[in-house]
Amino acid sequence: MSMRGARVLGGRSTAAGPARRLAAGPRRAAVAVRAEAEGARRRGGSVSGKATKATTSAKTASVGGRSIEELRREMAQLQEQIHHAHLEAHVQGQRVEDALDDLRGLGERSRELEASLFDPAPSTSAASATEQEQAVQRAASTSSVAPGPAEAQQQRLSLKTKDLKSDLTCPTELKEFWHPVEFSKTLTSDKPSTFDVFSMDLVLTRCAETGAVRCVHLAKEGEKEIPTSEKDGFVWVWLGAGPAPAPDADVAQGGIPGFTTPPNAFHEDKPFTIHAELLIDVEVEHGLLLENLLDLAHAPFTHTATFAKGWSIPDLVKFNTSKLLGGNWEPYPIDMSFEPPYMVLSTIGLMQPGKLEEGARAAACQNHLHQLHVCLPSSKGTRLLYRMSLDFMNFMLYVPFAKKVWETMAGQVLGEDLRLVQGQEDRLKRGGDTWANPVPYDKLAVRYRKWRNALGDKEKRKAAEAALRTTMSAGDMLSPDLDEARDTTANSANQ
């Protein structure tokens, strides 16, 4: 027996080792697979645990000391508050609309009340005023009980507005003056001037040989010669019913006034020179245009793009302080006056060309601009003759097209005024009263309106003309002094 056989029989042969190892391989592989699966399971559990921890950590992370959950709750609260705010805004908007509707209703009621208080018909206005005054007097004489605040206010209103009420009719007494209807230099022998004033069609001609001026009224009955004169660069005509006063007579006797010339020089070496003479047809009633020209208070609000650009609003504190110190605050260096029957004179002081000096009188300034407005009633509204004089900038006299520059400026100023004045005219046509509530700033316009409304009464006219014979500074016009307003009411009550 060989040695190989012996090993087999002994069961311990070295040849059997590889076989045993082959048989054990699958078992080890299975164990390895089970071990790997267990490891994967354990690792999976670890990852899942990490994810859970991350989620918990994310939930508990803080921003500015507050967790994300807290921030989410606050965001939800803010969204709720925004929603309520939107609802409140809608509610407030509806309340505003309701308030505007109420204001519109009050405006309609106010216009109805105004129309019922003041009868716009010319044929009955005088009788109505007399009846109202008699009713007030009867009530005062028969009643032993003092009127209440509302009744007293109504009585003051009727008395105050009696002499101030505006209308669109032209008093015939306005014709009883010499009227400057044309600039002398405009009227040439080869170019007649045709226009209408006071509902009268007039034709002006100049004789080529003598230079004399002739005026003809083109009436329905035929041509009628009109008394004519020339003075101070104007052509004057007499349109009154009676004989014409001598042109060189005293103004009190009906003569031509002398205020249409440029004023005396403030400085001997700087006389005034006429720089512009403009003729403009303005589509608004001449009395309303006059009131607008006499109202200096509207300038810093209305003429912000032209001559009043940069003007400050008059300071009430400075007015009152100056009054306590015995002086008068002058917001603008402007002097102004109304001259019968329809002229406005104004002088504006300028420290520098185009720059207004506040707090000074016109006389204290270095340079001056003088203006004359002649507002003739015409079928178009107003035939406006405007003259501008300066005591500086004489080089402009030789600048080509300078007149076009002044015409453009005047047109811009009138354009700013027309929006305001045409609104007043429309209100009068609808039966309103532009003088229902006069204020202290209306001093010059009040004087003009009282004078115009007193033309039919000699005594009232005399008193009204006496009040006109003064030139007022800007401080006089804009002073919030109620004395004149109280005097106006008292004078009306005594008449």
Side-chain angles (χ1 to χ4, degrees):
M1 183 177 292
S2 64
M3 293 292 296
R4 179 179 297 178
R7 291 180 179 172
V8 170
L9 291 175
R12 305 291 298 179
S13 173
T14 57
R20 287 194 298 270
R21 288 197 295 272
L22 290 173
R27 289 194 298 269
R28 291 194 186 97
V31 171
V33 170
R34 285 196 297 272
E36 183 66 24
E38 181 65 20
R41 184 183 65 80
R42 291 179 180 177
R43 287 195 300 274
S46 176
V47 171
S48 175
K50 290 180 180 179
T52 303
K53 291 180 180 179
T55 302
T56 304
S57 176
K59 290 183 180 181
T60 58
S62 63
V63 177
R66 291 172 295 175
S67 66
I68 292 178
E69 288 297 325
E70 290 174 339
L71 291 175
R72 287 176 179 172
R73 286 194 297 270
E74 290 184 10
M75 183 66 70
Q77 292 175 356
L78 287 174
Q79 290 175 343
E80 185 69 19
Q81 291 175 5
I82 292 172
H83 176 69
H84 286 298
H86 280 301
L87 292 178
E88 184 66 22
H90 286 300
V91 172
Q92 293 297 334
Q94 186 60 47
R95 289 176 180 173
V96 170
E97 287 296 328
D98 294 341
L100 291 174
D101 290 337
D102 292 341
L103 287 175
R104 284 189 283 267
L106 288 173
E108 291 295 330
R109 290 173 57 188
S110 174
R111 284 189 288 273
E112 293 173 0
L113 178 61
E114 188 178 65
S116 65
L117 288 174
F118 307 107
D119 185 1
S123 60
T124 60
S125 59
S128 299
T130 303
E131 292 173 0
Q132 289 178 2
E133 185 175 0
Q134 291 175 351
V136 171
Q137 292 175 350
R138 286 196 301 271
S141 61
T142 57
S143 176
S144 59
V145 180
E151 292 81 0
Q153 173 65 19
Q154 181 57 44
Q155 291 179 15
R156 288 194 299 270
L157 180 62
S158 63
L159 291 172
K160 179 175 63 176
T161 58
K162 183 179 67 174
D163 291 339
L164 289 180
K165 187 175 180 180
S166 297
D167 60 61
L168 299 177
T169 61
C170 186
T172 57
E173 292 84 0
L174 281 178
K175 290 185 177 181
E176 305 298 320
F177 292 87
W178 281 100
H179 303 281
V181 294
E182 185 63 272
F183 293 111
S184 292
K185 72 175 186 180
T186 304
L187 185 63
T188 59
S189 59
D190 60 341
K191 188 177 180 181
S193 178
T194 303
F195 55 91
D196 75 275
V197 291
F198 293 98
S199 301
M200 300 172 66
D201 294 322
L202 303 178
V203 179
L204 289 176
T205 57
R206 186 183 294 279
C207 178
E209 297 179 359
T210 64
V213 178
R214 181 172 179 259
C215 181
V216 174
H217 173 210
L218 302 179
K220 293 181 179 179
E221 308 81 35
E223 294 186 358
K224 178 183 177 182
E225 191 83 15
I226 298 295
T228 309
S229 181
E230 281 193 271
K231 181 181 179 181
D232 300 335
F234 286 99
V235 177
W236 302 73
V237 298
W238 175 265
L239 303 177
D248 56 354
D250 188 75
V251 175
Q253 304 302 320
I256 295 177
F259 55 75
T260 52
T261 59
N264 295 327
F266 287 94
H267 309 285
E268 293 183 2
D269 59 336
K270 298 179 65 177
F272 277 95
T273 304
I274 297 174
H275 279 245
E277 291 181 338
L278 309 177
L279 175 59
I280 306 170
D281 290 316
V282 186
E283 295 182 355
V284 72
E285 195 268 336
H286 85 285
L288 294 178
L289 181 60
L290 274 168
E291 291 175 359
N292 178 267
L293 292 171
L294 294 168
D295 176 22
L296 186 60
H298 83 284
F301 302 97
T302 305
H303 300 290
T304 55
T306 53
F307 74 91
K309 184 177 182 179
W311 287 22
S312 63
I313 307 303
D315 193 330
L316 180 62
V317 174
K318 292 181 179 178
F319 272 121
N320 293 332
T321 302
S322 298
K323 187 174 181 180
L324 290 173
L325 297 175
N328 189 40
W329 168 245
E330 298 294 338
Y332 320 124
I334 299 176
D335 294 333
M336 185 179 293
S337 67
F338 164 73
E339 300 293 343
Y342 39 64
M343 303 174 211
V344 177
L345 301 175
S346 61
T347 301
I348 303 176
L350 302 168
M351 296 303 289
Q352 299 176 13
K355 182 178 180 181
L356 196 75
E357 182 72 15
E358 296 185 12
R361 292 294 296 263
C365 296
Q366 296 296 319
N367 305 304
H368 302 86
L369 179 151
H370 179 74
Q371 299 179 106
L372 168 63
H373 293 82
V374 178
C375 303
L376 287 151
S378 71
S379 60
K380 296 180 180 179
T382 302
R383 178 179 172 85
L384 173 63
L385 280 74
Y386 171 77
R387 173 183 281 173
M388 183 188 71
S389 303
L390 302 173
D391 64 357
F392 65 106
M393 290 180 65
N394 284 341
F395 67 88
M396 286 295 292
L397 296 170
Y398 312 102
V399 174
F401 310 112
K403 183 179 179 181
K404 291 295 182 182
V405 174
W406 303 131
E407 286 178 345
T408 301
M409 291 178 59
Q412 290 175 344
V413 173
L414 286 174
E416 292 172 332
D417 279 324
L418 282 181
R419 290 189 293 270
L420 176 66
V421 184
Q422 287 177 341
Q424 293 175 328
E425 185 174 41
D426 177 69
R427 186 182 176 197
L428 281 175
K429 290 179 179 178
R430 292 186 290 105
D433 185 2
T434 58
W435 282 109
N437 295 288
V439 295
Y441 303 147
D442 294 327
K443 295 180 183 69
L444 267 181
V446 165
R447 293 182 182 184
Y448 157 70
R449 183 54 65 175
K450 290 185 67 179
W451 172 84
R452 172 169 163 168
N453 292 349
L455 288 175
D457 188 310
K458 291 184 178 180
E459 294 299 321
K460 288 185 178 181
R461 176 174 175 175
K462 183 178 180 181
E465 287 182 349
L468 293 175
R469 302 304 178 189
T470 56
T471 297
M472 301 185 75
S473 68
D476 297 328
M477 287 182 280
L478 300 180
S479 172
D481 189 353
L482 295 175
D483 292 342
E484 183 160 343
R486 286 192 289 266
D487 292 342
T488 297
T489 305
N491 291 338
S492 299
N494 293 330
Q495 292 169 355

